[in-house]
Amino acid sequence: QVHLVESGGDMVQVGGSLKLSCKIDVHMPETYIMGWFRQAPGKEREFVAAVSRSGASERYADSVRDRFTISRDNAKNTMFLQMSSLKPEDTADYFCAASQAYWRNTVDYSDPSRFDYWGQGTQVTVSS
C-alpha cells in the first residue's frame, strides 16, 4: 500500500504564496510519477501539475502555468507545489497522487484515472 500525505495548506491573501508538500511512503519514490490535483466545493477534481520520476519533465494546467511550480526531492520522498500570485479561484482541497507508470510525453496526465494512489488532501483558501 502506498501512502501519500499532503501538508502546507493554509489561508492566504490574494497575490500571496504558499508551498505544499506531499510525502510518499515508499522505498523507491523515484519509481513513481507524481501529480497534484485540486477540488473546489461543488466542482469536479481538476488537474494542477505532474512531474516525472526523475523530476526532469513537468506538466501544468493552463490555469496555473507560470504561477505554480512542481518539484520533487526523491532523497526525501517528497514532492512540492510552489504556488504564487494566488487567486480566489485557486481555493480548493489539493490532493497529491502517484503512479508507477513510465512517463510518456503523449500521455494526458490531467486524467485522474492515470494515478493509482491518492492522499487525503490539504486545504488552500485564498481570501480577497
Side-chain angles (χ1 to χ4, degrees), residues 12-76:
V12 296
Q13 292 191 329
V14 170
S17 298
L18 201 59
K19 188 172 185 176
L20 305 183
S21 299
C22 172
K23 190 95 170 181
I24 180 169
D25 183 19
V26 295
H27 177 58
M28 297 178 67
E30 64 272 18
T31 63
Y32 291 81
I33 293 170
M34 297 186 74
W36 288 99
F37 288 76
R38 66 187 181 186
Q39 188 166 17
K43 295 189 177 182
E44 293 188 354
R45 190 167 295 191
E46 67 171 353
F47 171 72
V48 175
V51 63
S52 62
R53 294 177 170 200
S54 67
S57 297
E58 303 165 9
R59 192 80 55 81
Y60 294 94
D62 289 341
S63 60
V64 306
R65 196 185 310 278
D66 299 327
R67 298 190 299 123
F68 291 9
T69 301
I70 190 171
S71 61
R72 63 190 298 167
D73 183 343
N74 286 333
K76 296 183 178 179

Side-chain angles (χ1 to χ4, degrees), residues 67-113:
R67 298 190 299 123
F68 291 9
T69 301
I70 190 171
S71 61
R72 63 190 298 167
D73 183 343
N74 286 333
K76 296 183 178 179
N77 286 52
T78 305
M79 174 181 66
F80 305 98
L81 185 68
Q82 177 67 53
M83 305 185 293
S84 61
S85 302
L86 284 162
K87 305 175 181 180
E89 52 264 43
D90 295 319
T91 295
D93 290 327
Y94 283 71
F95 299 86
C96 67
S99 167
Q100 279 195 295
Y102 287 95
W103 182 273
R104 294 283 185 264
N105 288 328
T106 55
V107 170
D108 179 11
Y109 292 108
S110 68
D111 180 356
S113 69

